Amino acid sequence: MQLHELQGIVERTFGHRDRARGIPANVAWLTEEVGELAQALRKGDRDQQLQEFGDVLAWTASLANLAGVSLEEALARYRQGCPRCGASPCHCP
Amino acid sequence: MQLHELQGIVERTFGHRDRARGIPANVAWLTEEVGELAQALRKGDRDQQLQEFGDVLAWTASLANLAGVSLEEALARYRQGCPRCGASPCHCP
């Protein structure tokens, strides 16, 4: 899946609710999902981990939509490797 | 960018360090980046928001690599809309 596809799916599916809720409440939801992912990684099974990774990505895409940010553009600085040292593998100290 | 491309870039660039660090430390880094994203959304400019969205996605991909999870597969349940009600737009109460 392309990142812009993800943003489009999330916009069509949840955009109306995300906009009504606003950015701070969406930040709270993303944080909750990150907590659930942390728990799934500590003691969950593969299905739970899959679900939580999907939820974290979906809420990140929701926030990007609300902020008017393209996730594709956000990742541009990773395309050639490490955004700091520019190398891949990263050579940062 | 496709999600599997993101996982490949992150694996080549940071995989050696991510594996040495382990999942719990990577969870801590992701959490830190989510905090930085929250701050950028509250008072940052567009460039800061772009940077933090990219970092959250990259650390999520790092964790998925460590857990052996495909982000593409993780998002399969969102392809048709809401994973709970199945509709797009979501009709959940």
Side-chain angles (χ1 to χ4, degrees), chain A residues 22-62:
Chain A
I23 285 180
N26 274 269
V27 167
W29 275 85
L30 172 60
T31 308
E32 187 173 325
E33 294 300 339
V34 170
E36 292 178 7
L37 174 60
Q39 187 180 68
L41 287 167
R42 182 170 63 84
K43 63 177 185 178
D45 61 20
R46 180 179 160 74
D47 283 350
Q48 289 166 321
Q49 293 174 5
L50 275 170
Q51 177 175 330
E52 301 307 338
F53 273 112
D55 290 348
V56 165
L57 287 177
W59 283 98
T60 302
S62 279

Side-chain angles (χ1 to χ4, degrees), chain A residues 1-3 9 12-13 17 46 50-51 53 55 58 60 64 68 72-74 77-78 81-82 88-90 92, chain B residues 1-3 9 12-13 17 46 50-51 53 55 58 60 64 68 72-74 77-78 81-82 88-90 92:
Chain A
M1 186 185 292
Q2 296 275 351
L3 289 163
I9 289 170
R12 288 190 298 278
T13 306
R17 294 194 176 176
R46 180 179 160 74
L50 275 170
Q51 177 175 330
F53 273 112
D55 290 348
T60 302
E72 187 76 36
E73 189 180 351
R77 51 199 273 281
Y78 279 91
C82 174
S88 183
C90 165
C92 288
Chain B
M1 187 186 291
Q2 295 275 351
L3 289 163
I9 289 170
R12 288 189 298 277
T13 307
R17 294 196 175 175
R46 180 180 161 73
L50 275 170
Q51 176 175 330
F53 273 112
D55 290 348
T60 302
E72 187 76 35
E73 189 180 351
R77 52 198 273 280
Y78 280 92
C82 174
S88 183
C90 165
C92 288

Side-chain angles (χ1 to χ4, degrees), chain B residues 14-26 66:
Chain B
F14 305 111
H16 58 303
R17 294 196 175 175
D18 290 340
R19 277 187 294 279
R21 195 184 291 118
I23 285 181
N26 274 268
L66 284 177

Side-chain angles (χ1 to χ4, degrees), chain B residues 14-92:
Chain B
F14 305 111
H16 58 303
R17 294 196 175 175
D18 290 340
R19 277 187 294 279
R21 195 184 291 118
I23 285 181
N26 274 268
V27 167
W29 275 84
L30 171 61
T31 308
E32 186 173 324
E33 294 300 339
V34 169
E36 291 178 6
L37 174 60
Q39 187 180 68
L41 287 167
R42 183 170 62 84
K43 63 177 185 179
D45 62 20
R46 180 180 161 73
D47 282 349
Q48 289 167 322
Q49 292 174 6
L50 275 170
Q51 176 175 330
E52 301 307 338
F53 273 112
D55 290 348
V56 166
L57 287 177
W59 283 97
T60 302
S62 279
L63 268 173
N65 287 344
L66 284 177
V69 163
S70 155
L71 293 178
E72 187 76 35
E73 189 180 351
L75 280 170
R77 52 198 273 280
Y78 280 92
R79 279 207 169 272
Q80 304 307 316
C82 174
R84 283 182 296 165
C85 72
S88 183
C90 165
H91 289 159
C92 288

